[in-house]
Amino acid sequence: MIRLNAFFTLKEGASTEDVLAITNELVAKSRQDEGNLGYDLFQSTTNPKVFMFCESWADADVLDKHSNAPHFTSAVPALGALTADGLKIERFEK
């Protein structure tokens, strides 16, 4: 199993509503991807500009398929444009 935690901070002028306009569809479609074991977006309670995706995948093959899926390849650049310094990804394996 692979767990990804991807953190990002909104840049000045970007809002939670901007994030949700992109991520609601990404989360819903990613949960339907083959081998997905969990896909959630969290907002920090100590700093509302900080978000974290928490994803779990069965293996590297299904994660690679997800990374090339249209809902992912369109959402990530749009989301990246809202961040102060991109997405910081931590990958864990069990």
Side-chain angles (χ1 to χ4, degrees), residues 3-69:
R3 167 63 64 99
L4 293 181
N5 291 337
F7 301 88
F8 62 95
T9 302
L10 295 183
K11 68 181 181 182
E12 196 64 38
S15 70
T16 298
E17 292 77 21
D18 296 333
V19 169
L20 295 179
I22 296 166
T23 59
N24 283 342
E25 181 179 358
L26 173 63
V27 169
K29 288 187 175 183
S30 296
R31 287 177 177 167
Q32 297 173 8
D33 284 346
E34 173 192 353
N36 177 263
L37 305 174
Y39 203 104
D40 294 290
L41 176 68
F42 296 92
Q43 185 175 18
S44 172
T45 58
T46 56
N47 181 349
K49 295 269 187 193
V50 175
F51 291 81
M52 176 186 69
F53 283 105
C54 191
E55 311 172 28
S56 295
W57 299 94
D59 58 43
D61 289 338
V62 295
L63 177 56
D64 287 342
K65 287 180 186 175
H66 164 71
S67 298
N68 292 298

